[in-house]
Amino acid sequence: MSSGFCGEAVRSPAPAVYHPALIRIGRLAAKTGVSDATPRFNERDRLLSGVRRSASGQHPYGPEAETRVRLVRATLPLGF
């Protein structure tokens, strides 16, 4: 904990906790048939949101991410 404005205590955000339902980017890409870069691009374009990075820098995705990646991929040919 550090000291903030006027001496008030400032807490650092807690690192994300791994949950068995969360999957890593490589597994998400393999399950959806896309490259590892696709979820990153989708996240950058705010089409996909991940869970906060863990202390080790991992970026886990929730169970809805697979559906979301498939949806984004299916709508690309339609011009969305």
Side-chain angles (χ1 to χ4, degrees):
M1 203 172 334
S2 63
S3 178
F5 184 72
C6 295
E8 62 197 33
V10 177
R11 293 183 180 209
S12 301
V17 177
Y18 180 76
H19 187 274
L22 301 177
I23 58 175
R24 294 182 184 163
I25 197 165
R27 177 118 169 111
L28 175 62
K31 289 178 79 171
T32 56
V34 299
S35 71
D36 289 356
T38 299
R40 289 186 188 105
F41 290 133
N42 290 344
E43 189 174 352
R44 183 194 67 203
D45 293 340
R46 296 183 181 204
L47 300 171
L48 179 67
S49 60
V51 177
R52 192 171 34 166
R53 290 194 185 273
S54 67
S56 64
Q58 298 290 329
H59 197 164
Y61 292 91
E64 73 286 345
E66 183 178 346
T67 304
R68 188 72 163 193
V69 169
R70 290 183 193 280
L71 175 67
V72 169
R73 184 172 179 168
T75 58
L76 283 176
L78 302 175
F80 288 99

